[in-house]
Amino acid sequence: MLRPRLNLLLIVSATVATLVGLPVASVLSNVLAGDTGATWSHLATTVLPDYIGNTLALCLLVGLGVMLVGVATAWLTAMHDFPGRRIFEWALVLPLAMPAYVLAYVYTDFLQFVGPLQTFLRESFGWSKADYWFPEVRSLGGAVTMFVFVLYPYVYLLTRTAFIERASGMLEASRTLGLGPWRSFFRVSLPLARPAVAAGVTLALMETLADYGTVSYFAVQTFTTGIYRAWFSLGDRIAAAQLAAALLGFVILLLAIEHASRGRSRFHNTSGRRRPLAGQPLPGWRGWVATAVCTLPLSIGFLVPGYLLLRLALAERDGQFTTHFMALARNSFVLAGLTAIIAVTLAVLLAYGARLSTGWLAPSLNRLVGLGYAVPGSVIAVGVLIPVTRLDNWLAAQWQVWFASNPGLLITGGIAALIYAYLVRFLAVALQSVGTSLAKITPSMDDAARSLGLGQVTTLWRVHLPILRGSLLTACLLVFVDVMKELPATLVMRPFDFDTLATQAYTLASDERLAEAANASLAIVAVGLLPLIALSRQISRTRR
């Protein structure tokens, strides 16, 4: 009786996995298309060295930065007690609500020559431009700073959890062997947390590679900006696909390095595993230094830009809640809402199919679907547009033959192709949340439902979905926020005369209309705070 339903779910899993893999296959199939020798020769002699050098520099510097900030704050909040520690435990994740490109717009307005800070310095000290030096924010160093203080929470969250789960018994054992606090950290705690640190750094670097708004606004030439330029400025889909393949190669190399860094290492805490972890007090000046260390990234990544955004938005009162702004908000919410609903529905089917499966095929297909999140939005956009545009042209030609009229672009002319690209990128987020929660439901509940005569569909509807309600809402919210912030895929694939809050903020900032961009940016940040509030509440309970 299980076979028909299981086969149907396997067909769904195989179809979704194929659709997720299609953009990557489309990009790779175009690597050898056309006159590749001439294309790569031109790229190699003009922009390719800059793309490679800047991308490598970004990865190296951002990786070091997020590791230092994330590990330091995680160690302090997990292992010590100091003034404000209970607030920092959850507040340090708030910069995740601030997209890097929004941070870039805000700090450019604040730190540029005509901005408030330099203007204040000149007026206070009577300086002219030649009397002082000020760092240029629109540079590679500026981009690295933006990424570090927005993305360090990935390392902070995973590393802090590793410290809390593994620290208590191991540290007691190290102290009995005569190790001091610093030696215990470097010889015990940090090696145990190495897989978590590597995973957090990898997530931060994947977001860095996928970014377009920050590097484009700061004029840092990377593969993402090259893809956009090749597609729109040069109209060369082959060059765009080849650059997308090169960027995908960076992502694959990054994942391989992360996997190799873990190797065969396995760490288990066998002492005091469930013992509550009491923070070691930091008396006197040491406690205030710890407070300052945690305050710095929180201020740079959230508090200061949040205040500056609010100040800019209030200064541009004429642009608030206009008809155009409401239309942008509607477009963003429609795209994010439809994508979230479809993603959660598919995630339930995929996770339930893997639960019912006794073989390797369904879980393997789900893992393939999960790889979509590692693919940058610009790569997905190119990979989706190439086959979908061909399909659109074929449908238009057939429609012309059948009905003697031209229907235009049926798929790429609307939001269908854009939602498809979002699903390829963010379905993994919903699948991870739903799959993890579904795995916690004991199989005996399925057996009990079956003994009462319930079929698989009825069991899913009446037993599993009510239990999963909280996880479904969380998954829906996470996908919703990710779509609201997504910029590269939206810029490449949005229909003509169709803008969202993210594209509007980027367009206005590119035109140096930073005050007008504040409203859209502030709306994106406000929406991004919603899942972080829930996450912060969970973090505040981790010591109980």
Side-chain angles (χ1 to χ4, degrees), residues 75-260:
W75 175 253
L76 288 173
T77 57
M79 307 303 299
H80 299 88
D81 193 10
F82 55 92
R85 191 259 301 169
R86 292 188 180 276
I87 296 176
F88 289 123
E89 280 181 339
W90 58 265
L92 281 167
V93 303
L94 294 179
L96 281 178
M98 192 78 63
Y101 58 85
V102 172
L103 210 68
Y105 308 155
V106 172
Y107 277 117
T108 296
D109 178 76
F110 183 65
L111 299 176
Q112 63 185 340
F113 180 76
V114 296
L117 181 58
Q118 291 199 55
T119 301
F120 171 78
L121 292 176
R122 290 193 302 272
E123 293 177 350
S124 299
F125 298 99
W127 292 342
S128 64
K129 183 177 182 180
D131 294 331
Y132 69 99
W133 174 85
F134 200 86
E136 177 58 54
V137 63
R138 299 180 71 167
S139 61
L140 177 65
V144 169
T145 304
M146 301 301 110
F147 287 129
V148 168
F149 288 103
V150 165
L151 301 177
Y152 79 85
Y154 286 116
V155 180
Y156 166 77
L157 285 170
L158 297 177
T159 307
R160 181 178 179 275
T161 301
F163 284 152
I164 290 176
E165 289 178 348
R166 301 188 179 104
S168 180
M170 294 292 187
L171 287 179
E172 289 179 359
S174 69
R175 292 191 185 107
T176 62
L177 296 175
L179 297 182
W182 285 104
R183 294 178 66 189
S184 295
F185 171 75
F186 284 108
R187 298 184 61 179
V188 179
S189 298
L190 191 58
L192 289 175
R194 189 182 67 183
V197 175
V201 171
T202 301
L203 286 173
L205 292 184
M206 285 196 297
E207 291 293 330
T208 301
L209 290 173
D211 178 84
Y212 173 76
T214 307
V215 292
S216 174
Y217 187 65
F218 281 0
V220 178
Q221 302 302 316
T222 64
F223 281 102
T224 311
T225 59
I227 292 168
Y228 191 83
R229 182 179 296 109
W231 188 274
F232 284 97
S233 300
L234 303 178
D236 191 339
R237 67 173 179 83
I238 295 177
Q242 291 170 341
L243 291 172
L247 178 57
L248 186 60
F250 267 91
V251 174
I252 294 173
L253 178 62
L254 186 63
L255 294 175
I257 293 174
E258 188 273 334
H259 181 74

Side-chain angles (χ1 to χ4, degrees), residues 223-535:
F223 281 102
T224 311
T225 59
I227 292 168
Y228 191 83
R229 182 179 296 109
W231 188 274
F232 284 97
S233 300
L234 303 178
D236 191 339
R237 67 173 179 83
I238 295 177
Q242 291 170 341
L243 291 172
L247 178 57
L248 186 60
F250 267 91
V251 174
I252 294 173
L253 178 62
L254 186 63
L255 294 175
I257 293 174
E258 188 273 334
H259 181 74
S261 69
R262 288 182 282 129
R264 296 179 177 273
S265 301
R266 298 293 184 271
F267 302 103
H268 303 282
N269 185 9
T270 58
S271 175
R273 188 181 185 106
R274 297 185 180 276
R275 188 177 306 167
L277 186 63
Q280 180 181 0
L282 293 177
W285 64 270
R286 294 181 179 86
W288 292 109
V289 169
T291 300
V293 170
C294 293
T295 301
L296 182 63
L298 176 61
S299 299
I300 297 176
F302 183 77
L303 297 180
V304 172
Y307 165 75
L308 294 176
L309 263 182
L310 188 60
R311 183 177 65 85
L312 286 172
L314 293 177
E316 189 65 25
R317 294 184 179 181
D318 293 339
Q320 292 180 354
F321 308 115
T322 62
T323 303
H324 182 57
F325 178 83
M326 299 306 294
L328 294 172
R330 183 188 67 243
N331 292 343
S332 297
F333 275 73
V334 167
L335 285 173
L338 289 176
T339 304
I341 292 172
I342 297 172
V344 170
T345 302
L346 291 176
V348 170
L349 296 177
L350 294 174
Y352 194 55
R355 181 183 179 88
L356 296 179
S357 174
T358 57
W360 57 270
L361 183 56
S364 299
L365 292 172
N366 285 3
R367 283 193 289 271
L368 179 60
V369 171
L371 293 177
Y373 188 71
V375 183
S378 54
V379 177
I380 292 175
V382 173
V384 168
L385 275 178
I386 291 174
V388 171
T389 301
R390 291 173 179 171
L391 176 61
D392 239 353
N393 291 331
W394 180 83
L395 289 175
Q398 294 301 312
W399 191 283
Q400 183 76 29
V401 172
W402 295 335
F403 303 105
S405 62
N406 189 353
L409 299 176
L410 298 175
I411 302 177
T412 54
I415 63 174
L418 184 55
I419 291 178
Y420 172 34
Y422 289 151
L423 289 172
V424 173
R425 177 107 164 88
F426 300 121
L427 179 57
V429 177
L431 182 59
Q432 174 68 19
S433 179
V434 174
T436 301
S437 299
L438 190 61
K440 294 179 181 179
I441 300 177
T442 174
S444 61
M445 300 192 75
D446 299 62
D447 298 334
R450 194 173 297 113
S451 67
L452 295 174
L454 300 182
Q456 294 173 5
V457 176
T458 309
T459 301
L460 175 63
W461 182 259
R462 298 182 59 182
V463 178
H464 292 131
L465 289 184
I467 298 175
L468 293 174
R469 181 166 43 203
S471 298
L472 296 181
L473 290 175
T474 300
C476 189
L477 186 58
L478 289 173
V479 175
F480 187 94
V481 172
D482 280 336
V483 173
M484 288 283 292
K485 296 191 296 184
E486 173 62 25
L487 181 62
T490 311
L491 279 174
V492 175
M493 300 192 61
R494 73 189 191 278
F496 177 74
D497 200 24
F498 185 93
D499 284 308
T500 64
L501 292 172
T503 61
Q504 179 74 356
Y506 169 77
T507 302
L508 291 174
S510 299
D511 294 338
E512 300 300 329
R513 298 159 63 186
L514 296 172
E516 297 177 55
N519 292 316
S521 300
L522 195 60
I524 295 172
V525 174
V527 173
L529 281 174
L530 297 178
L532 291 181
I533 292 173
L535 179 61

